[in-house]
Amino acid sequence: MAAELPQGEVRPAAYDARANIPTGLTREKAIRQIPAMNPGEYFVPPEIGDIPTSKYGDMVKLGRNIFIDTQHYAKRYVGNGLNCSNCHLQEGRKPYAAPIWAAYPMYPEFRNKTRDVVTYEERVQDCFRFSMNGIAPTLDSPEIKALTAYAHWLSKGAPINKELPGRGFARLSKPRDPTPVNGEKLYKENCASCHAADGKGQKFANRDGYMFPPLWGGDSYNHGAGMSSVKDCAQFTKANMPLGKGWTLTDMEAWDVCTYIWLQNRPWDPRFGWFFNIFTPPTGGN
Amino acid sequence: MEDKSMLISRHAWLFMKYQNRNFAKQFTYIFVLLGLSVGILPISGCGKHADSDTRAAVAAGKLLAEKGHGTIPACIACHGNNGEGLDAAGYPRLAGLNATYIEKQLNDLARELPPAGVVIESVAKDYSKTPRIYSDLTVFSPGLRHDDVMSPIAKQLSKTDIHNIAAYYSSLPFQAKPVAADYEVLERGQDLALRGKPEYGLPACISCHAPNGEGFGTDFPPLAGQPAAYIVNQINKWQRGDRDNDNLGLMHAVADQLTDADKLNVAAYYANRSLIVNGK
């Protein structure tokens, strides 16, 4: 029988040590709690060198090419400046950045967005339509076939229809309503040096395409994309941004900065506004 | 029937979502579209023509780099006649680097390190109370970089000297000479460079240093064409705390996750890349 402590007394176990750690001149050391990444904690997809030399292997390679350079390999269907790997980081391998190896074995699945059961191929079509602000390839197109082959290969050894750790994005708490005022400040400090102060990303000087992807404007994802919801954006940001320093923003900071991003101008949802897309295109981009 | 009602309500929801947007800014586009039958071509200068100030800075920088000045030794003694660096000693190449980057590095090398043993206490924060803007409390390092050889030299340079040297070296052409390496080492280095370590949260090198390691902008220096020893040394410095001058502490977070083998592999991979800068 442990003696009951009076309410309000701070026990060592409940004590938050973050409050008096020397910062070492950086904010995150004072406030972050990064989940330890232990070997074996997350599913590890096969290595590139293990792609078989066969027709299947060729399809996997084409799928990978489309995935990391969508601008070139799926040019016909893309309507903005993004690549798949801008959100599915590190060739679709990174846990908590919507890794492909965790998504593929879950399909076919029910999707609230369309209120229907969709196959993996149909899900990829939606990526082209919303996230890439483009046109959906037909289900029998080589692009869809190759992307599915790549996903299939990445998922080698993953259990079918089982939630894997690292699937999707981070799960967040929401202590208060987010404020774009705070978000703007955070954006300028933490994001603008890569994604530019106007959110339009940064282009290469001597070749086509973006070094750092645009977060809003005509060259970014449209309002129908998942990333356009503040929740998805915040969950992604918490786990992955700034690049290489995932989990260093507080949950509330992630909500705030994504609220600021959500307020910006981007292409209309194609299900909603073809008229507006034609006659009032989003500002910026290109 | 059911579907239809869902559609209507979704559109109503979207309408509510969009109704507070700034239409005025967008409807100007109608007039633009109606009034213009030809696209306006952006007028851009064809190539950078160096103005006289830059030319003077490059000339002054060249003089300092080749002759030195007083107790300042000539740069070419260590960094090579054309700024290509010195592989054996791990002296970095300077040719074709971003001018702002070179300037910042020299300023940071000249900066005094804070005395050892000084600990800056954080402000005690109670996160359970009213929301506050934590970013106000963010403190970034002023940009520290210490090197036994280069720091004493950088301390002797004036602001003008630094500006001139940066202008000179950024204007130099460069062509990398790929260094041969073991196949397995290159393969592992490439894996790290292109994919990083996803399961550990370590990003790929290319995601900041550009697809071929040619560097990008003022914050991300090139990796290709740098001596392998130099790259390894710099990562070691980050791990030891001798270097702390990166944007947002990005490289600090990356360096903390690199093993000794990772450093060697990735440095060998980038020393093995070919690269042409400034059209040499």
Side-chain angles (χ1 to χ4, degrees):
Chain A
M1 276 294 284
E4 267 199 315
L5 285 163
Q7 288 291 315
E9 179 170 336
V10 180
R11 278 177 288 170
Y15 177 71
D16 187 358
R18 294 175 306 178
N20 58 4
I21 292 174
T23 60
L25 296 176
T26 53
R27 170 172 53 100
E28 71 270 10
K29 280 188 188 159
I31 59 176
R32 79 170 154 186
Q33 292 178 319
I34 301 183
M37 292 265 202
N38 302 313
E41 190 176 351
Y42 300 107
F43 175 81
V44 179
E47 290 179 16
I48 295 295
D50 295 338
I51 298 179
T53 47
S54 61
K55 282 210 168 184
Y56 169 77
D58 291 347
M59 218 51 182
V60 170
K61 283 173 187 162
L62 175 61
R64 178 175 167 265
N65 284 341
I66 294 172
F67 199 89
I68 62 181
D69 194 358
T70 324
Q71 291 300 308
H72 179 79
Y73 289 93
K75 212 183 182 71
R76 300 188 292 171
Y77 300 108
V78 168
N80 62 16
L82 302 180
N83 298 309
C84 304
S85 53
N86 286 145
C87 300
H88 304 273
L89 297 173
Q90 293 172 259
E91 304 187 4
R93 293 164 172 259
K94 188 170 186 285
Y96 298 113
I100 301 302
W101 44 258
Y104 180 76
M106 299 301 291
Y107 285 87
E109 75 169 5
F110 176 80
R111 227 182 146 212
N112 213 5
K113 183 172 185 163
T114 51
R115 305 187 74 261
D116 198 358
V117 173
V118 293
T119 61
Y120 183 80
E121 289 85 347
E122 286 170 323
R123 180 65 188 79
V124 175
Q125 280 187 316
D126 275 8
C127 282
F128 277 101
R129 212 172 148 213
F130 300 109
S131 302
M132 310 301 296
N133 192 34
I135 299 163
T138 53
L139 287 174
D140 58 354
S141 63
E143 284 83 0
I144 295 285
K145 197 191 282 187
L147 283 168
T148 308
Y150 178 59
H152 177 263
W153 175 79
L154 270 185
S155 312
K156 186 178 181 178
I160 293 287
N161 198 5
K162 180 170 178 290
E163 282 267 355
L164 288 174
R167 185 191 178 199
F169 302 136
R171 279 67 176 163
L172 294 188
S173 62
K174 196 168 166 187
R176 60 169 167 84
D177 281 354
T179 67
V181 178
N182 206 357
E184 181 173 17
K185 200 172 166 51
L186 286 160
Y187 183 86
K188 287 190 164 61
E189 276 187 11
N190 298 293
C191 321
S193 61
C194 291
H195 295 288
D198 61 0
K200 303 298 193 297
Q202 288 191 67
K203 283 183 163 173
F204 289 112
N206 46 10
R207 85 174 78 175
D208 284 347
Y210 284 92
M211 173 72 217
F212 298 112
L215 303 186
W216 63 84
D219 247 4
S220 192
Y221 50 90
N222 66 37
H223 261 304
M227 228 8 125
S228 169
S229 93
V230 178
K231 186 182 173 202
D232 286 36
C233 171
Q235 290 180 332
F236 171 85
T237 305
K238 168 78 179 184
N240 302 298
M241 291 285 145
L243 201 69
K245 298 210 315 176
W247 313 97
T248 59
L249 296 170
T250 63
D251 290 6
M252 212 54 242
E253 283 171 338
W255 284 109
D256 286 347
V257 78
C258 282
T259 307
Y260 172 69
I261 290 169
W262 182 79
L263 286 177
Q264 309 304 324
N265 206 330
R266 63 176 68 261
W268 301 96
D269 185 336
R271 295 167 300 181
F272 166 65
W274 59 264
F275 177 87
F276 295 94
N277 259 329
I278 291 168
F279 291 104
T280 63
T283 53
N286 303 323
Chain B
M1 280 297 138
E2 211 179 315
D3 272 356
K4 195 143 208 158
S5 66
M6 282 313 299
L7 254 170
I8 289 165
S9 66
R10 190 193 303 133
H11 285 195
W13 177 81
L14 283 164
F15 174 74
M16 289 193 310
K17 179 174 170 181
Y18 296 139
Q19 66 181 342
N20 55 2
R21 291 184 180 278
N22 184 353
F23 285 100
K25 199 164 52 172
Q26 299 195 351
F27 274 104
T28 56
Y29 273 80
I30 290 181
F31 301 115
V32 171
L33 282 168
L34 290 176
L36 292 178
S37 52
V38 284
I40 299 168
L41 293 174
I43 302 156
S44 58
C46 303
K48 290 177 289 183
H49 67 278
D51 55 353
S52 55
D53 285 353
T54 315
R55 272 203 297 270
V58 168
K62 184 173 162 68
L63 192 68
L64 187 60
E66 289 174 351
K67 299 280 193 301
H69 181 72
T71 52
I72 303 168
C75 309
I76 60 170
C78 295
H79 292 283
N81 284 330
N82 302 309
E84 72 275 17
L86 189 61
D87 280 9
Y91 295 137
R93 71 135 163 139
L94 303 175
L97 264 65
N98 181 289
T100 313
Y101 176 79
I102 298 178
E103 213 166 325
K104 176 173 163 46
Q105 298 312 308
L106 284 170
N107 284 325
D108 292 347
L109 281 159
R111 194 170 279 119
E112 286 288 343
L113 286 169
V118 173
V119 176
I120 297 173
E121 291 288 330
S122 66
V123 181
K125 295 186 283 286
D126 185 352
Y127 290 93
S128 65
K129 296 291 187 290
T130 53
R132 62 181 78 186
I133 299 176
Y134 307 126
S135 46
D136 279 353
L137 304 174
T138 309
V139 183
F140 285 115
S141 140
L144 305 172
R145 181 171 176 176
H146 176 76
D147 186 83
D148 289 340
V149 177
M150 196 61 213
S151 288
I153 301 171
K155 283 188 175 71
Q156 299 177 55
L157 297 170
S158 69
K159 290 277 179 233
T160 316
D161 289 342
I162 288 177
H163 177 76
N164 294 344
I165 288 171
Y168 169 62
Y169 275 116
S170 65
S171 71
L172 284 184
F174 175 75
Q175 182 163 14
K177 295 185 184 63
V179 179
D182 179 61
Y183 178 76
E184 279 191 10
V185 167
L186 290 180
E187 212 175 32
R188 291 193 188 119
Q190 185 184 53
D191 194 53
L192 206 60
L194 302 189
R195 282 171 289 281
K197 292 187 192 170
E199 63 274 24
Y200 291 95
L202 176 72
C205 308
I206 60 164
S207 54
C208 291
H209 293 277
N212 299 321
E214 68 266 40
F216 188 86
T218 58
D219 288 323
F220 304 107
L223 302 175
Q226 286 291 18
Y230 171 72
I231 293 180
V232 174
N233 281 342
Q234 293 312 302
I235 296 170
N236 285 339
K237 278 182 196 290
W238 257 298
Q239 293 181 345
R240 282 200 308 264
D242 279 347
R243 187 169 177 183
D244 185 15
N245 66 341
D246 47 336
N247 176 38
L248 296 175
L250 293 174
M251 191 62 208
H252 185 80
V254 169
D256 275 354
Q257 291 181 289
L258 290 171
T259 65
D260 287 355
D262 291 340
K263 298 174 208 171
L264 294 172
N265 293 339
V266 84
Y269 170 75
Y270 275 116
N272 182 264
R273 297 296 87 196
S274 53
L275 177 75
I276 294 176
V277 186
N278 291 341
K280 182 175 174 180

